[in-house]
Amino acid sequence: MGIMIFDIEILEVGARDGLQNEKVIFDTESKVRLITDAMAAGVKRLEVASFVNPKRVPQMADGEAVIERLPDDPVVTYIGLVLNKRGLLRALETKSGGKRGVDEVGLVAMATDTFGQKNQGQTSQESVDLCLDMMKFSHAQNMSVQVTLSAAFGCPFEGRVDQSHVIEMARQLAEGNPREIALADTIGVASPAKVTEMLGRLKEALPGIPLRAHFHNTRGTGLANAWAALLAGVTTLDASVGGLGGCPFAPKATGNIATEDLVYLLHESGVTTGVNLDNYLENLNWIEQDLGRVVPGMVKQAGGFPAGNVRP
Ligand code: MG
């Protein structure tokens, strides 16, 4: 893995978590453009595809084709999301025949039984066990692997999630040696105080492991939560260009936090990201055109400040 030279690493999830929940289906070429534009703007780590059932998520059916067309940039990490062994095999297959393929797989464990059952037909514990199994398999294939705890701050079906359960899941998952553990507020219900508490407990329970956080702006708390997560010691924050996307299996889970809004907040606070805000805003011109609508991200509409200010 590359050396962290910026204060916070931005993980751009627009091409996967973003587009997966958009009604307009981007073709392979547009997905590649979205990814390479983000790279040109300085992003070094990106979710580029998910290897899931194309009948359930038709937006992601061309994962292999996208990956095959990505540039072989050595400083960038391409992530493929997988939810089961079949998906993991597809991710590994992208490297066959000496191809670059994906550099890392992202696994998902479900914080509640109902969310797990509706998503994957498995309980929370079964999802943890499967992740541990897939981590072992990934490591045996020299594939870097990380895991996200989905619905960690609240479940669309069960409501509030017990923090102790999430910490216990993370403790079990850490035994599989993932490169990082992430907490995802899949339905956008977290608050900064809860983020501080949860990540504080997690850091205490697992002092050695890098932490990432994934927030949605569904109730307007996404950026505040990202700031709380930064203060609590996460090294990486997920964000989606323009604020695209949600989760197709979580009702009303709209709005990942917008990368450019997050970058604005961080840069204005003296936190470096390596991402060029002006480039990001420029990239959104064609994305808005292709989507046929204005994106939810706010800095795209208001512009940076002062006008034309670029702080890498
Ligand atoms: Mg999301």
Side-chain angles (χ1 to χ4, degrees):
M1 290 309 131
I3 303 160
M4 287 277 289
I5 49 170
F6 298 103
D7 297 328
I8 278 284
E9 177 185 57
I10 300 283
L11 199 169
E12 171 58 59
V13 301
R16 201 286 300 172
D17 195 17
L19 293 181
Q20 160 169 322
N21 203 44
E22 293 293 334
K23 284 192 189 78
V24 175
I25 295 190
F26 276 41
D27 61 17
T28 306
E29 194 186 341
S30 302
K31 285 176 184 163
V32 170
R33 185 177 178 195
L34 189 149
I35 292 161
T36 52
D37 274 4
M39 287 161 58
V43 170
K44 299 277 187 288
R45 199 165 164 216
L46 308 97
E47 260 187 11
V48 296
S50 65
F51 299 102
V52 294
N53 188 341
K55 284 194 189 112
R56 290 194 78 189
V57 190
Q59 291 93 332
M60 294 290 115
D62 60 348
E64 282 87 351
V66 169
I67 287 156
E68 211 155 298
R69 293 172 69 162
L70 293 176
D72 185 15
D73 185 333
V75 301
V76 167
T77 301
Y78 296 132
I79 300 169
L81 185 88
V82 307
L83 299 176
N84 52 36
K85 283 215 178 113
R86 179 187 289 209
L88 179 54
L89 290 174
R90 280 176 65 193
L92 289 165
E93 180 66 21
T94 63
K95 301 183 89 68
S96 68
K99 285 181 295 189
R100 160 77 179 254
V102 293
D103 304 306
E104 180 179 314
V105 290
L107 311 179
V108 181
M110 312 291 179
T112 70
D113 289 340
T114 314
F115 196 60
Q117 292 288 2
K118 298 227 182 203
N119 268 283
Q120 291 299 310
Q122 59 196 7
T123 64
S124 176
Q125 186 60 49
E126 284 166 352
S127 75
V128 169
D129 294 342
L130 178 60
C131 283
L132 285 167
D133 214 27
M134 290 198 287
M135 275 185 230
K136 209 176 191 178
F137 193 78
S138 302
H139 287 144
Q141 308 288 322
N142 288 317
M143 175 65 88
S144 176
V145 57
Q146 35 91 354
V147 60
T148 298
L149 279 72
S150 193
F153 294 91
C155 170
F157 311 106
E158 295 188 23
R160 295 191 195 281
V161 172
D162 179 17
Q163 281 195 0
S164 299
H165 173 66
V166 175
I167 305 296
E168 171 56 20
M169 285 175 75
R171 199 194 55 71
Q172 289 187 34
L173 289 164
E175 283 171 19
N177 288 318
R179 70 164 278 195
E180 160 191 84
I181 288 181
L183 296 185
D185 182 19
T186 311
I187 56 168
V189 292
S191 68
K194 294 218 169 77
V195 169
T196 303
E197 192 187 346
M198 176 89 93
L199 282 166
R201 287 180 67 178
L202 192 54
K203 242 186 140 48
E204 202 178 275
L206 304 169
I209 194 153
L211 301 179
R212 195 179 88 237
H214 178 108
F215 295 111
H216 282 226
N217 207 34
T218 317
R219 289 168 181 81
T221 56
L223 284 180
N225 291 336
W227 185 250
L230 177 151
L231 294 181
V234 303
T235 49
T236 304
L237 288 166
D238 287 5
S240 174
V241 58
L244 305 182
C247 172
F249 311 124
K252 297 181 186 168
T254 51
N256 285 292
I257 56 171
T259 311
E260 65 280 4
D261 290 4
L262 177 64
V263 166
Y264 177 83
L265 177 148
L266 294 174
H267 290 186
E268 284 300 309
S269 308
V271 177
T272 61
T273 65
V275 175
N276 184 307
L277 178 60
D278 284 350
N279 289 357
Y280 241 88
L281 297 177
E282 276 162 34
N283 295 342
L284 277 163
N285 290 333
W286 73 264
I287 294 170
E288 283 192 330
Q289 210 154 49
D290 282 21
L291 281 172
R293 67 176 172 89
V294 162
V295 294
M298 296 176 83
V299 176
K300 173 64 177 80
Q301 312 315 326
F305 175 82
N309 186 26
V310 176
R311 259 198 280 177

